[in-house]
Amino acid sequence: MSSLPELSTDDCGDIASYEVRVAGTDLSFRVSSGERILAAARRAGVWLPFECGWGSCSTCKATLVEGQVELLYPDAPALDPRDERRRRFLACQSTACSDLTIKVPRTGPTEERPTRDYRAELLNAEDLGPDIRRFRFRLDAASQYRPGQHGIFGLGPGLRRCYSMAGLPGTDCVEFIAKCYPGRPGSTALFGLSAGDRVPIELPYGDMWLRANHRDAVLTAGGTGISAIIALLRQLADTNTTRRVHVFYGANTEAELVCWDELQTLVAQLPSARLYGAVARPASGWSGITGFVTDALGPQLATLTDVDHYLAGPPVMVDAVLALLRERGTPLDRIHFDRFG
Ligand SMILES: Cc1cc2nc3c(=O)[nH]c(=O)nc-3n(C[C@H](O)[C@H](O)[C@H](O)COP(=O)(O)OP(=O)(O)OC[C@H]3O[C@@H](n4cnc5c(N)ncnc54)[C@H](O)[C@@H]3O)c2cc1C
Ligand code: FES
């Protein structure tokens, strides 16, 4: 007997694990009871589309062909009232209640690094700028990720937020640069942690990592997007790359242009690298570019041909850079980005 596909907000019990098949492919993976479908896919090394990882962007929206899922966050901003009729659900915030067949818009790189769960103990938090801190955590095992990727912290019941690793992988110490938005749940919870506090984190997530080729690299960060971009720069410095590297970094004020000295040191280690800073509201005495990061990047684009672009930062900044790159005819497969929304 075949059952009709069903979306449910009821707890579907603590029964077993289920098999999820991805329609039109030979991909399948198992989901444990209560486990998020996206997380289960990544633990199995299966790439499904996603972006924010918690329910705001809709990139992970999948169609239920067969079986039953439970929505773990029915009020997620990315869910639309029409989704139920169309049997669409968010893979990042749903679990399986039976074996499933799902349809996704695309599948991706097969060499995905399996995501795993860690416990992270806060070692220290250092003030870098107004409401901006560097957090160092010790994990219960050595981290495995590509520089540029992020982890998803569990910061409270149902409260999942992404933060990009700022350091290099391979040790049990991970580092993040984060901003607090007063009164907002995720960043307030992160900034409320004290040394010794432990929180769960899943990693790695994200597709904004350095592609293995010899093309020059253009790294563009807005605000705390510098967390992901500094990780890429550290990787390039660590491998003594001979690629030309251009780093564009924008913030509202000079005080928010955090890690500037560190960036200058990393850039100086590379044989052919340049750093450009743009500040939207500078104090007198600022000798860099006044304006947005696009004002720094735009004039250089004519000379930056045959390059790969890596971008990270707030959605409005990433969208502005994407619009600029499209306008200049940059091929889409040369742009890798993370929107921090
Ligand atoms: C792939 C990815 C990587 C990320 N990496 C980082 C990182 O390395 N560092 C980092 O700090 N964040 C990062 N973020 C953003 C982070 O996950 C949270 O979205 C952020 O901390 C805000 O969460 P919140 O619950 O405090 O705010 P929410 O309630 O979720 O607010 C939603 C968004 O509204 C905006 N917002 C909220 N309040 C204000 C305000 N007062 N002023 C201006 N804008 C506001 C912010 O852009 C915020 O992201 C990343 C996000 C993604 C998707
Ligand atoms: S809504 Fe699921 S990844 Fe953004």
Side-chain angles (χ1 to χ4, degrees):
M1 193 181 79
S2 70
S3 58
L4 282 175
E6 197 180 326
L7 305 180
S8 162
T9 52
D10 298 338
D11 184 339
C12 55
D14 188 12
I15 302 166
S17 75
Y18 299 107
E19 183 172 28
V20 179
R21 284 180 301 279
V22 182
T25 75
D26 56 4
L27 296 171
S28 66
F29 54 93
R30 293 202 75 78
V31 184
S32 307
S33 171
E35 188 180 24
R36 286 171 173 79
I37 291 168
L38 175 66
R42 293 188 64 84
R43 282 187 194 107
V46 172
W47 189 96
L48 297 182
F50 74 97
E51 207 175 299
C52 72
W54 69 274
S56 74
C57 74
S58 84
T59 310
C60 68
K61 217 172 257 186
T63 305
L64 188 60
V65 179
E66 205 171 359
Q68 187 184 352
V69 297
E70 179 194 341
L71 308 184
L72 297 172
Y73 184 14
D75 299 326
L79 279 176
D80 186 281
R82 287 167 302 184
D83 284 332
E84 190 175 355
R85 232 181 316 122
R86 295 178 178 171
R87 306 192 190 291
R88 282 154 61 95
F89 64 97
L90 301 178
C92 73
Q93 288 286 22
S94 306
T95 189
C97 299
S98 69
D99 289 343
L100 307 177
T101 303
I102 64 171
K103 204 159 95 189
V104 293
R106 63 199 164 98
T107 53
T110 47
E111 42 164 326
E112 190 54 276
R113 227 147 268 205
T115 298
R116 55 163 290 184
D117 299 295
Y118 298 85
R119 296 291 299 172
E121 179 187 340
L122 181 64
L123 295 175
N124 55 56
E126 172 197 355
D127 283 327
L128 297 178
D131 285 328
I132 304 173
R133 287 188 190 157
R134 186 197 311 263
F135 292 88
R136 289 194 181 84
F137 287 88
R138 180 178 300 121
L139 303 180
D140 51 1
S143 62
Q144 288 185 6
Y145 61 89
R146 296 181 172 104
Q149 290 191 299
H150 60 274
I152 303 186
F153 275 104
L155 292 165
L159 185 58
R160 292 162 61 78
R161 289 292 183 273
C162 306
Y163 293 94
S164 307
M165 279 72 78
L168 295 177
T171 74
D172 63 358
C173 187
V174 281
E175 191 182 308
F176 303 88
I177 296 167
K179 181 172 169 73
C180 187
Y181 300 96
R184 309 305 302 187
S187 53
T188 303
L190 179 68
F191 276 63
L193 296 176
S194 304
D197 284 351
R198 293 198 177 145
V199 279
I201 182 169
E202 286 168 27
L203 64 89
Y205 278 82
D207 298 317
M208 210 280 295
W209 38 265
L210 212 56
R211 298 317 195 251
N213 59 43
H214 298 290
R215 275 196 290 274
D216 295 339
V218 179
L219 315 182
T220 305
T224 48
I226 201 60
S227 198
I229 292 300
I230 210 168
L232 297 183
L233 195 56
R234 283 179 173 165
Q235 181 186 13
L236 287 161
D238 206 49
T239 52
N240 294 319
T241 186
T242 52
R243 299 184 193 194
R244 272 193 319 151
V245 179
H246 290 256
V247 185
F248 296 89
Y249 180 18
N252 277 326
T253 62
E254 281 160 87
E256 288 166 289
L257 212 57
V258 299
C259 303
W260 186 255
D261 294 346
E262 211 169 317
L263 289 166
Q264 284 183 313
T265 306
L266 286 165
V267 161
Q269 286 171 28
L270 291 165
S272 185
R274 284 201 63 180
L275 174 62
Y276 306 78
V279 172
R281 289 185 281 115
S284 60
W286 166 245
S287 58
I289 294 147
T290 297
F292 298 114
V293 75
T294 41
D295 296 312
L297 177 63
Q300 304 301 327
L301 280 176
T303 59
L304 301 175
T305 52
D306 200 28
V307 299
D308 283 336
H309 285 271
Y310 300 90
L311 350 164
V316 61
M317 167 262 162
V318 171
D319 290 343
V321 176
L322 289 175
L324 178 67
L325 295 179
R326 279 192 204 114
E327 185 189 298
R328 303 293 176 92
T330 311
L332 287 183
D333 63 349
R334 295 288 181 83
I335 310 173
H336 311 283
F337 62 91
D338 258 348
R339 269 197 207 96
F340 283 14

